[in-house]
Amino acid sequence: MLSFIANSWPALILTAVGGYLLGSINWAIIITRFIFRKDIREEGSGNAGATNVLRNPGRGPAIMTAFGDVGKSMIAVLLGGWLLSHLQVGEPALSGYKDWIQLHLSLIGGYVGGFFCLLGHDFPVFYGFRGGKGVLTTLGMFLLLDWRVALICLAIFAVIVAITRMVSLGSILSIGCGMPLLYFLNR
């Protein structure tokens, strides 16, 4: 573990900072500010997320918000994977297993990038640390880390919303299933 940190500390720091800054770009706030000259956090539920954008400005801005939130987390996952795979201070301890190490470095980088992107989305430095809930940001992360988990979470979300008509309940339950699914599907 110590050799991993000693070899990877620059990549880990860049991944965390890059992921957080990407996450801090809140598309709900940007889109509603530029198109409608309003702060979405002062409309409807007060949340800076796609659901509040859908309920207030409408479908078009909500779709743009959704693509922005999913996209930024995908970029953070890819950036983290690339940085951890390519920016090492020294040689990995198990150089005979270079392909195995490269695969896992990329995966670790993806998790770190995605996690810090989610933190940036929820607590954006650019918007007074008042952001969204991170549901679509988490979905974007799951799409790249394990697409099966993303599809299962989407199915859970759709079923819960269809039964209860509560987007927040569907979001909580589907994302809450994500990490256990990642674990069990990748053991």
Side-chain angles (χ1 to χ4, degrees):
M1 180 67 159
L2 290 177
S3 66
F4 166 74
I5 293 172
N7 290 334
S8 305
W9 67 267
L12 288 169
I13 290 171
L14 286 173
T15 298
V17 170
Y20 178 80
L21 291 175
L22 279 167
S24 290
I25 300 168
N26 189 300
W27 290 104
I29 296 171
I30 292 170
I31 289 167
T32 56
R33 224 178 245 174
F34 282 112
I35 295 176
F36 301 100
R37 306 279 187 243
K38 293 181 179 181
D39 187 346
I40 191 65
R41 296 170 296 176
E42 296 172 2
E43 304 288 323
S45 68
N47 184 37
T51 303
N52 197 26
V53 173
L54 177 64
R55 290 180 182 148
N56 289 287
R59 182 176 290 156
I63 290 170
M64 290 188 292
T65 299
F67 275 110
D69 286 350
V70 169
K72 72 182 176 186
S73 64
M74 292 175 92
I75 292 170
V77 168
L78 292 171
L79 176 68
W82 187 86
L83 284 170
L84 228 61
S85 295
H86 293 87
L87 186 61
Q88 297 291 311
V89 175
E91 276 297 310
L94 302 171
S95 58
Y97 299 96
K98 196 165 186 101
D99 292 337
W100 184 87
I101 290 170
Q102 287 300 108
L103 171 70
H104 286 79
L105 285 176
S106 178
L107 193 59
I108 292 167
Y111 276 104
V112 172
F115 174 74
F116 278 93
C117 184
L118 183 59
L119 280 179
H121 180 83
D122 292 346
F123 308 103
V125 68
F126 305 129
Y127 304 105
F129 302 100
R130 287 182 51 217
K133 293 183 179 131
V135 175
L136 289 171
T137 306
T138 304
L139 175 64
M141 181 175 69
F142 286 164
L143 280 170
L144 287 183
L145 294 174
D146 191 332
W147 61 269
R148 300 169 301 172
V149 172
L151 291 180
I152 293 169
C153 287
L154 275 173
I156 291 169
F157 172 81
V159 168
I160 297 298
V161 171
I163 292 170
T164 66
R165 300 301 225 200
M166 296 173 60
V167 173
S168 58
L169 181 62
S171 299
I172 291 167
L173 291 177
S174 64
I175 296 303
C177 293
M179 283 305 187
L181 283 169
L182 276 172
Y183 174 76
F184 286 114
L185 291 175
N186 294 294
R187 289 179 3 160

